Each structure stands twice: as structure tokens, then as C-alpha cells.
């Protein structure tokens, strides 16, 4: 009988609190909380509590469970939010909560219970980062909702109120980290995080996303390749808009050709991976066609970058992912990659789409050519 493979050397500290389930986004025609009366069967808003309940359960009962330790944290204090958000914006949210709720922007509803959940999401993400900064663990995962990466310093957007990852990055910088990289693989542009550090050269923000462009007043950023940062931050924001159907090999190519060289030159002391499983092949909000294998490969790449630069320190922050089953499975696969387990622990129950890598390869090559021409540290590589 063959010997059992060696167990992974690492473990993941997951931060979670049941109170985040109390953010009730309602029912309607998908993300719209209205019913024009055409349908017999309405569905929950895509950002609902079922999606994260499955993420919690697969990590507690799936084959990765022995490698995960569970923690919980208290809500963030309003004073802690001001490291990323403006006082006026936070005041607007506090007032909205006191008044029984508010539609902050399209499909983004602050309902009774939402603000407490948002404070728990921020608090758990800050505690996950603090856990790493205090040397209690190298890899921490903030399993949080409502999500955060669209929340800008002064504006809610795309189901997001507080920028959980951005707050954690600020905590790392304030604790002495000199350079932090954020790699965002949610299918949507991480515009809030990008906006928060747009003029900073101590945070390299990288977002791989579908090419959806701006989507109205709450999301003025285009996510296009020419949004490079401003002032000292010029060159430290990298947008990687990818064509629909990019798939596993296309993402791997984008990681190898764009993300890895940028991170190698930047030499971060902390790695933040912002994960959204809405870049999967079956998500109702995206068309990027990643499967569990693709997520596993991204996790491995992030793990090796962290080993080389940040002493293995990685904070993972949960964002979107709206297929109730596949999001949980893809999360499991991502964390397998982060742990660098030699063989997959969990099979893919549904992946079957054929891939055509020709178009994504062309897109990545053209983005690379653009960045080499424009960005000083890309030229040096
Ligand atoms: Zn998303």
C-alpha cells in the first residue's frame, strides 16, 4: 500500500460570526427587491445568507476541515472604520441604521440587522489580520458578509458597505508593514479597495475581473488597464480586465504573466487575497468560467508568492460568489491551493465547460505590453 501523502505544513485560521447571517437582503427578481408580478417563483437576492452558510459548512465538514481552526470576533468600533472611510459616510450609515434602513445604491439595501452584520464583517476581518500581525498564525481567512471590495472611502456600491479588506490593509500599514499587495479575484472590479489606495505606493492593488466597466454613480471607475494610480501611487494599481469565458488556463496565464512579475518586483511584506467565487463557471453574476482546478492553481500561486516575500503571511477576505453550491466547493479548492496540498482533497461535482484559451491569452499579452510601456517597475522585470 502506498504511503499516505504528507499533511500540509500550514493551517488556516478562519474568522466567522453567526451574526453576519442577520443581514437580510430580501427577495425579488434577482438583485432587484421588487416584484412586477410576472413570475410564480421569486428568488433570494444573490447576496444572501445561504451562500455563506454553505461556505461555513463545507469548511467544517469537508476534507479540508482538519486544517482549519475557527475563531470569532467582536464588531468593529466606529472609530476603527475611519482609517479607510470618511466620517461623513460612516455617519450616513449610522443614521440609515437608526432610521430603519436605506437603499444606498442600486441593489444595495441596508435593512434592520445589516449594520450590525457589517460591523461584524469588518471586526472579523480586522481580527484576522491582527492574528497574523501578532504572529499567532500565518494564514487567516475572514469569512464575512456583507462583502466589501466595492465600498469606497465615501460611497457604498455593489452590495458593499464597509471595505473589510481595505480596513485590514490599513491596520497592517499602521502596524509597521511597509508594503502590502492586494490580489482580488472576484469577478467584479475591486474598485473600492483600488480607490482607497489609489495615491499610495505602499499598497499594490491588483484586480482580475470581467470587463464590465462603470455601472453608474456608485461605481464611476472603469476597471480598465489605464487606471494606474495617481501621484506616488502611479503604477501601483493594476487592473486586469479579462474577456468572458477566460477559464482556468486563461487565469493561470494572467497570474504568471502579470500578477507574479508585479508582486516579485513589489516585494510585499503582507499578501491579501480577496476571493469571490463569482468568477466560477456557474455563477449567475459572472461569465469567467473558473472551475475548482483554476481556483486551486490561483491559491498555489499566492501561496508561493507569500512564501517568497511575506514569510508565508496571507490574509484571505471573502467577497462575492452567488451559486449556492459551487461557491462553497470553489472556496474549498482555493484554500486547498493556499495550503499547497499535493493532490486535490475534493472532486469537482459539476465542471464540464470546454475552454478556448486563445482569446484570453491575446488579452493578457496586450495588457502586459501596455504595462511594460507605462509602469516603471514592470519594465525592470
Ligand atoms: Zn463580485
Amino acid at each position: 500500500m502506498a504511503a499516505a501523502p504528507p499533511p500540509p505544513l500550514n493551517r488556516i485560521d478562519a474568522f466567522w460570526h453567526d451574526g453576519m447571517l442577520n443581514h437580510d437582503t430580501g427577495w425579488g427578481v434577482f438583485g432587484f427587491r421588487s416584484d412586477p408580478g410576472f413570475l410564480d417563483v421569486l428568488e433570494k437576492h444573490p447576496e444572501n445568507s445561504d451562500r455563506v452558510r454553505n461556505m461555513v459548512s463545507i469548511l467544517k465538514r469537508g476534507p479540508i476541515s482538519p486544517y482549519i481552526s475557527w475563531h470569532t470576533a467582536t464588531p468593529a468600533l466606529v472609530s476603527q472604520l475611519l482609517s479607510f472611510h470618511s466620517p461623513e459616510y460612516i455617519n450616513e450609515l449610522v443614521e440609515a441604521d437608526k432610521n430603519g434602513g436605506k437603499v444606498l445604491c442600486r441593489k444595495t439595501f441596508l435593512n434592520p440587522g445589516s449594520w450590525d452584520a457589517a460591523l461584524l464583517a469588518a471586526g472579523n476581518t480586522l481580527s484576522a489580520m491582527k492574528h497574523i500581525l501578532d504572529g499567532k498564525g500565518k494564514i487567516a481567512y475572514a469569512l464575512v458578509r456583507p462583502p466589501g471590495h466595492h465600498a469606497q472611502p465615501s460611497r457604498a456600491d455593489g452590495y458593499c458597505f464597509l471595505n473589510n479588506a481595505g480596513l485590514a490593509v490599513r491596520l497592517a500599514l499602521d502596524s509597521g508593514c511597509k508594503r502590502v499587495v492586494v490580489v482580488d479575484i472576484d469577478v467584479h472590479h475591486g474598485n473600492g479597495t483600488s480607490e482607497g489606495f489609489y495615491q499610495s505606493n505602499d499598497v499594490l492593488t491588483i484586480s482580475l475581473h470581467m470587463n464590465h466597466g462603470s455601472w453608474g454613480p456608485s461605481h464611476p471607475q472603469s476597471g480598465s488597464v489605464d487606471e494606474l494610480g495617481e501621484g506616488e501611487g502611479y503604477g501601483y494599481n493594476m487592473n486586469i480586465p479579462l474577456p468572458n469565458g477566460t477559464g482556468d488556463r486563461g487565469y493561470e496565464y494572467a497570474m504568471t504573466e502579470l500578477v507574479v512579475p508585479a508582486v516579485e518586483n513589489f516585494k510585499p511584506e503582507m499578501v491579501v487575497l480577496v476571493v469571490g467565487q463569482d468568477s466560477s463557471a456557474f455563477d449567475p453574476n459572472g461569465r469567467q468560467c473558473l472551475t475548482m482546478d483554476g481556483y486551486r492553481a490561483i491559491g498555489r500561486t499566492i501561496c508561493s508568492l507569500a512564501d517568497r516575500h511575506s514569510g508565508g503571511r496571507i490574509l484571505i477576505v471573502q467577497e462575492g460568489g452567488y451559486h449556492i453550491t459551487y461557491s462553497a466547493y470553489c472556496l474549498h479548492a482555493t484554500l486547498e491551493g493556499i495550503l499547497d496540498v499535493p493532490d486535490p482533497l475534493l472532486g469537482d461535482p459539476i465542471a464540464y465547460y470546454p475552454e478556448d484559451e486563445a482569446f484570453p491569452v491575446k488579452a493578457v499579452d496586450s495588457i502586459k505590453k501596455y504595462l511594460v510601456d507605462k509602469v516603471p517597475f514592470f519594465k525592470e522585470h
Side-chain angles (χ1 to χ4, degrees), residues 147 149-150 158-159 184-189 212 215 276-279 283 285 319-322:
H149 74 150
H150 296 308
Y159 317 161
D184 185 330
I185 62 164
D186 183 283
V187 82
H188 303 103
H189 174 213
H212 53 65
W215 61 48
Q277 297 79 19
D278 46 7
S279 32
D283 201 89
N285 273 1
E319 299 289 349
Y322 305 105

Side-chain angles (χ1 to χ4, degrees), residues 31-365:
F32 294 95
R33 202 178 46 178
S34 56
D35 175 12
F38 306 141
L39 302 174
D40 272 353
V41 183
L42 296 176
E43 61 185 308
K44 288 183 180 176
H45 186 289
E47 204 292 278
N48 59 65
S49 57
D50 290 349
R51 49 186 286 276
V52 291
R53 286 174 58 209
N54 272 353
M55 291 176 189
V56 172
S57 64
I58 205 166
L59 298 187
K60 288 196 169 174
R61 304 206 294 269
I64 205 167
S65 60
Y67 308 113
I68 297 186
S69 310
W70 289 88
H71 306 262
T72 195
T74 52
L77 303 171
V78 163
S79 58
Q80 291 177 293
L81 308 177
L82 303 178
S83 65
F84 187 90
H85 293 289
S86 70
E88 296 76 19
Y89 173 59
I90 295 302
N91 198 40
E92 180 191 355
L93 296 176
V94 169
E95 287 300 311
D97 178 54
K98 275 190 197 151
N99 296 329
K102 185 174 180 179
V103 182
L104 270 301
C105 58
R106 209 166 66 107
K107 304 185 208 171
T108 306
F109 309 108
L110 193 127
N111 292 329
S114 301
W115 181 233
D116 288 343
L119 291 173
L120 277 171
N124 275 271
T125 312
L126 285 166
S127 291
M129 177 59 96
K130 188 165 188 311
H131 193 81
I132 301 173
L133 292 167
D134 290 347
K136 294 178 180 166
K138 284 185 177 176
I139 307 173
Y141 169 47
L143 205 185
V144 294
R145 79 181 277 269
H149 74 150
H150 296 308
Q152 297 146 65
S154 299
R155 193 154 40 196
D157 178 40
Y159 317 161
C160 302
F161 306 101
L162 299 174
N163 196 310
N164 304 311
L167 289 163
V169 170
R170 279 277 171 228
L171 178 64
L173 296 172
D174 293 346
S175 305
C177 268
K178 291 193 174 58
R179 287 175 306 283
V180 181
V181 68
V182 179
V183 180
D184 185 330
I185 62 164
D186 183 283
V187 82
H188 303 103
H189 174 213
N191 60 317
T193 323
S194 160
E195 183 83 18
F197 302 105
Y198 208 58
Q199 297 179 350
S200 314
N201 60 6
D202 46 9
V203 182
L204 171 62
T205 44
I206 302 176
S207 176
L208 301 98
H209 46 262
M210 68 176 171
N211 200 3
H212 53 65
S214 304
W215 61 48
S218 70
H219 191 119
Q221 304 83 4
S222 69
S224 59
V225 69
D226 58 351
E227 289 178 345
L228 288 166
E230 279 173 1
E232 284 187 349
Y234 183 82
Y236 294 89
N237 184 68
M238 184 184 290
N239 287 339
I240 307 178
L242 294 168
N244 286 356
T246 285
D248 292 347
R249 288 193 297 277
Y251 266 82
E252 194 173 359
Y253 193 63
M255 293 295 288
T256 308
E257 295 296 310
L258 298 170
V259 178
V260 169
V263 176
E264 294 287 3
N265 280 341
F266 184 65
K267 299 180 175 49
E269 294 180 359
M270 180 70 72
V271 173
V272 177
L273 175 64
V274 173
V275 293
Q277 297 79 19
D278 46 7
S279 32
S280 87
F282 302 96
D283 201 89
N285 273 1
R287 298 289 178 273
Q288 293 304 68
C289 292
L290 273 171
T291 72
M292 288 175 71
D293 280 346
Y295 282 106
R296 208 175 269 116
I298 291 170
R300 277 203 197 96
T301 303
I302 294 294
C303 171
S304 75
L305 284 171
D307 279 346
R308 285 202 293 285
H309 295 289
S310 63
R313 300 192 301 175
I314 308 170
L315 172 70
I316 306 152
V317 182
Q318 181 62 45
E319 299 289 349
Y322 305 105
H323 189 292
I324 299 292
T325 302
Y326 204 49
S327 295
Y329 274 76
C330 289
L331 167 66
H332 195 287
T334 309
L335 298 188
E336 287 174 43
I338 289 283
L339 288 172
D340 203 19
V341 294
D343 297 306
L345 297 175
L346 185 62
D348 195 316
I350 48 178
Y352 60 85
Y353 283 160
E355 285 200 2
D356 174 6
E357 66 185 281
F359 189 35
V361 163
K362 268 190 203 161
V364 170
D365 285 346

